Amino acid sequence: MPLVLWDIDHTLIETRGVGRDLSAAAFAEVTGLLMREQATIDGITEAVIFRETAKLHGLTTGRVDFERFAHALAQQHVAHAAELRERGSALIGAAAALDALAVANVRQTVVTGNVRAVAEVKLNVFGLDTHIEWDIGAYGEDADLRPALVDLALARSSTTAGETVLIGDTLADVEGGLENGVRVIAVATGRSSSAELRDAGAHHVLDDLTNTARLVEIITAET
């Protein structure tokens, strides 16, 4: 049975600034410092973002610090779910794509830089969690880099690379798939352009998720 590994931010949803606000609140709670700036986040896992952001503020952090941050960040998302729903949105075509793949008997999970608890809140808020098999996904607390996350999802799902398609919007998503022999569908709904995603080696590049039939055709024909 085919497996799809979904990225979340800028692929399925947009938080429109809420994510950064909640990250800043969690950072202040854990470190006692206001977050003046944040490390580059495109395609990066939450563990790396926290560590590098802490360095920008003159702090050296360890695993325990990150675990405290991850817990605080999850609590912030739970507490501000209504704000996330109001300010953010599911990307056009996301719900239809998830539903159509489920009808086509395609398994679906997520490979994301978000910690699992935050990923669950984000998709639940926008009603995109129904078809996600959470236990076979890989998350921001599991590894620092995307290739390791993809490898972990393959192991957890007992699925081969040839049966798997990764869908994401960043160059890191493309790298994570290619390094594991997984076919990649890149969507130009984030900061990376179609040309950049294509040059990075994505097997297919879509402007967005609106062409549901085409997306299902690509996935089911190639896995």
Side-chain angles (χ1 to χ4, degrees), residues 20-53:
R20 190 185 192 285
D21 291 347
L22 300 185
S23 184
F27 185 85
E29 179 181 335
V30 170
T31 67
L33 299 176
L34 293 177
M35 193 178 82
R36 301 186 308 273
E37 55 184 324
Q38 188 178 42
T40 302
I41 63 174
D42 266 10
I44 308 302
T45 63
E46 204 67 71
V48 175
I49 295 170
F50 173 70
R51 183 176 68 232
E52 296 304 313
T53 299

Side-chain angles (χ1 to χ4, degrees), residues 195-219:
E196 289 170 330
L197 293 166
R198 192 172 291 108
D199 289 345
H203 299 90
H204 299 274
V205 179
L206 307 177
D207 291 334
D208 51 40
L209 296 173
T210 55
N211 192 338
T212 305
R214 175 59 177 153
L215 182 69
V216 173
E217 178 186 18
I218 292 171
I219 292 166

Side-chain angles (χ1 to χ4, degrees), residues 169-187:
D169 69 286
T170 71
L171 303 182
D173 291 315
V174 177
E175 177 188 16
L178 295 181
E179 287 204 14
N180 286 279
V182 170
R183 297 193 69 80
V184 178
I185 299 174
V187 285

Side-chain angles (χ1 to χ4, degrees), residues 25-141:
F27 185 85
E29 179 181 335
V30 170
T31 67
L33 299 176
L34 293 177
M35 193 178 82
R36 301 186 308 273
E37 55 184 324
Q38 188 178 42
T40 302
I41 63 174
D42 266 10
I44 308 302
T45 63
E46 204 67 71
V48 175
I49 295 170
F50 173 70
R51 183 176 68 232
E52 296 304 313
T53 299
K55 286 181 182 178
L56 293 175
H57 294 75
L59 301 175
T60 300
T61 56
R63 183 68 185 185
V64 172
D65 300 301
F66 168 67
E67 288 174 354
R68 291 177 57 223
F69 171 77
H71 177 74
L73 186 62
Q75 293 302 109
Q76 287 288 337
H77 277 78
V78 170
H80 296 276
E83 181 181 358
L84 178 58
R85 184 179 297 108
E86 180 180 347
R87 289 173 54 187
S89 68
L91 288 179
I92 185 169
L98 288 159
D99 289 345
L101 288 172
V103 170
N105 293 316
V106 175
R107 300 175 75 191
Q108 300 176 78
T109 190
V110 293
V111 168
T112 175
N114 290 288
V115 298
R116 175 170 171 169
V118 170
E120 290 177 348
V121 171
K122 284 182 173 180
L123 293 193
N124 176 263
V125 158
F126 298 112
L128 301 178
D129 58 333
T130 305
H131 307 300
I132 300 298
E133 296 184 43
W134 293 103
D135 288 344
I136 64 172
Y139 307 93
E141 65 266 47

Side-chain angles (χ1 to χ4, degrees), residues 154-172:
L154 292 175
R156 286 176 171 171
S157 64
S158 299
T159 306
T160 67
E163 299 173 292
T164 306
V165 174
L166 183 147
I167 304 176
D169 69 286
T170 71
L171 303 182

